[in-house]
Amino acid sequence: MGKGVAVVVGGSVAGLACGHAVAGAGWDVVVLEKALAPATGGGTGAGLGLDAQSTETLARWIPGWDLDAAMLSLAVDLNRATDSETKAARTLARDDEFNFRAAHWGDLHRRLHESLPAAVTVLWGHQFLSFEASEDGGVVVTARVLRTGETVEVTGNLLVAADGCTSSIRRRFLPDLKLRYSGYCAWRGVFDFAGKEGSDTMTGIRRAYPELGTCLYFDLAYKTHAVLYELPRSRLNWLWYINGPEPELTGTSVTMEAKDAMVARMRDEAERVWCPELARLIRETAAPFVNVIYDADPLPRLSWAGGRVVLVGDAAHPTTPHGLRSTNMSVMDARSLGRCLARWDSEPLPARALAEYEAVRLPVVAAQVLHARQLGRLKQGLPVDGEAEGFDARTATAEEALQLRQRTMPFFGGAPTADDGGL
């Protein structure tokens, strides 16, 4: 029997990472996830970039993980200006010591799930409904079993909210906090080139982007930018950000299904804006989709209800993707939470552990969310900090372009944790 029971709402990467970290602190963990089954690691999915600190943390949780086989090294962060008329590209800013790795979301999720400690139970197909404080100082969580429709209760000493950027648990404590629309959306796609390495499309894209496999490319045109990098197992991940009014969404998802007419217009526009090689890759990508880009102002707190509830991952810090922070912040949230619970294991309630977790993580994630917001506005040519005009890749000086690099992110070299026994 563990030191207590933590109920984690959300079984994405953040929730499974908390399963590893909290179980490592000696707790039993129950994860509630509405998806009916874990990711298989296949399909198109999405790519993500992991920094050195997150990679080292994940290697602790996934014994025997062959990082060289599971990820590609991203040694270079390269920002280029694209002339939409001539299709010529020139370097704006380059960092040859980037030290990130490219991974596939589905593969990371599968590996985290398969390596969960015995103290972790994942209840798939369980949709969170509500929670209440129990008389003994714990929490009672109510969920619906999607396959049967029945309602069940799970009792614990701690509730970990890993339920994403639209978190219903966060809304319980901060009902007036609204997600902030960034001013742009992202077209996204993963191009599977297995068996197509010698095709005209791949020959062309490797000619136009000769460092694919080791480089994170940012191409900036006028008031728009695109991202391209290679993933393991013969896939290319691309994103294209487009300024515009906020779309109308239904439900809680920030992803929109793209209708055929939308996709056709997007592909035609890609040919106008980008080099022919990238435009062709976009045209030949199956099932592209749209993410509406949101973040939120930094939260005043990360723990609530007298130390019974704690927020992690996108529930704690909705962020734009430009600093490659979402997954990295989630992993470090989990690591810090686990270490704080271990350090205060003599306490009957986790309130002091959560206070330390909040003290460690809140300054980091607040700074990173705000910087990612600024980085996105820079690359989209939107005004920053009250300036009249936005960044223009066509006229930017070499010094101005340096602010585009990923290493301008606060705590780029690593965030403080509770691992060393102090703040």
Side-chain angles (χ1 to χ4, degrees):
M1 187 71 179
K3 299 170 183 174
V5 176
V7 182
V8 179
V9 174
S12 189
V13 166
L16 296 187
C18 285
H20 281 272
V22 175
W27 286 57
D28 293 319
V29 182
V30 179
V31 180
L32 304 177
E33 168 54 42
K34 65 182 178 180
L36 298 178
T40 62
T44 54
L48 51 89
L50 296 170
D51 63 24
Q53 193 175 34
S54 292
T55 302
E56 182 269 332
T57 302
L58 290 166
R60 296 184 190 181
W61 295 337
I62 309 175
W65 196 15
D66 184 350
L67 296 181
D68 291 332
M71 303 180 185
L72 291 180
S73 174
L74 293 177
V76 181
D77 168 27
L78 179 58
N79 286 268
R80 310 190 305 180
T82 293
D83 187 316
S84 294
E85 293 186 6
T86 67
K87 311 304 183 185
R90 65 179 178 87
T91 296
L92 288 167
R94 180 184 177 101
D95 182 355
D96 288 292
E97 298 179 355
F98 184 45
N99 195 26
F100 266 54
R101 289 177 181 261
H104 184 264
W105 183 93
D107 188 43
L108 174 59
H109 188 268
R110 176 180 62 84
R111 291 171 183 270
L112 280 170
H113 176 249
E114 291 175 349
S115 58
L116 282 170
V120 182
T121 300
V122 183
L123 300 179
W124 301 101
H126 282 61
Q127 183 176 23
F128 168 81
L129 296 177
S130 64
F131 78 93
E132 297 297 335
S134 61
E135 294 181 358
D136 61 358
V139 289
V140 178
V141 180
T142 304
R144 177 181 294 113
V145 183
L146 296 181
R147 291 190 185 277
T148 66
E150 67 177 313
T151 299
V152 297
E153 291 184 346
V154 181
T155 301
N157 308 93
L158 172 65
L159 173 59
V160 181
D163 53 339
C165 66
T166 60
S167 170
S168 59
I169 297 174
R170 183 186 67 227
R171 192 161 55 247
R172 166 86 169 260
F173 301 106
L174 295 170
D176 296 327
L177 179 74
K178 305 298 182 185
L179 291 181
R180 169 196 161 275
Y181 175 57
S182 64
Y184 48 89
C185 298
W187 279 99
R188 303 186 62 175
V190 176
F191 182 79
D192 186 344
F193 62 89
K196 305 175 185 176
E197 184 63 65
S199 66
D200 290 344
T201 299
M202 286 306 301
T203 300
I205 205 71
R206 291 207 184 277
R207 180 177 60 247
Y209 297 84
E211 295 180 85
L212 276 175
T214 61
C215 182
L216 175 65
Y217 281 95
F218 290 90
D219 280 359
L220 283 73
Y222 182 63
K223 294 188 180 297
T224 188
H225 78 287
V227 183
L228 179 66
Y229 59 97
E230 189 169 345
L231 296 175
R233 297 190 296 181
S234 302
R235 288 167 290 189
L236 296 177
N237 189 75
W238 61 265
L239 301 91
W240 176 17
Y241 297 95
I242 299 176
N243 295 340
E246 182 178 3
E248 185 175 345
L249 293 172
T250 58
T252 60
S253 176
V254 297
T255 298
M256 293 174 55
E257 182 179 355
K259 300 184 181 301
D260 290 345
M262 293 172 58
V263 174
R265 288 194 298 272
M266 179 271 295
R267 288 170 172 166
D268 289 343
E269 182 68 4
E271 292 185 359
R272 185 189 70 80
V273 175
W274 302 117
C275 67
E277 295 84 359
L278 179 58
R280 181 170 184 172
L281 181 79
I282 291 173
R283 180 172 292 277
E284 295 185 6
T285 298
F289 60 97
V290 179
N291 265 161
V292 186
I293 307 301
Y294 292 95
D295 67 5
D297 290 336
L299 273 58
R301 298 174 55 188
L302 298 179
S303 64
W304 305 84
R308 303 183 196 190
V309 180
V310 63
L311 306 183
V312 301
D314 289 344
H317 37 70
T319 185
T320 59
H322 309 288
L324 285 75
R325 284 295 100 198
S326 177
T327 301
N328 289 294
M329 286 195 287
S330 296
V331 170
M332 295 314 299
D333 286 350
R335 172 172 163 173
S336 297
L337 178 60
R339 292 304 301 153
C340 290
L341 289 171
R343 277 169 41 74
W344 294 97
D345 63 355
S346 62
E347 296 288 321
L349 294 174
R352 295 185 70 174
L354 299 195
E356 182 177 14
Y357 163 78
E358 184 176 283
V360 169
R361 292 301 295 160
L362 192 56
V364 174
V365 299
Q368 292 185 333
V369 165
L370 293 177
H371 188 82
R373 177 185 297 181
Q374 176 175 298
L375 199 56
R377 294 187 68 82
L378 279 171
K379 295 191 176 189
Q380 283 299 105
L382 297 169
V384 175
D385 296 333
E387 295 178 357
E389 299 292 333
F391 180 88
D392 190 339
R394 301 171 302 178
T395 59
T397 66
E399 183 177 359
E400 290 171 337
L402 290 177
Q403 62 189 322
L404 300 173
R405 298 192 303 170
Q406 292 292 306
R407 70 170 53 253
T408 60
M409 175 65 64
F411 306 100
F412 177 81
T417 73
D419 293 40
D420 60 0
L423 299 185

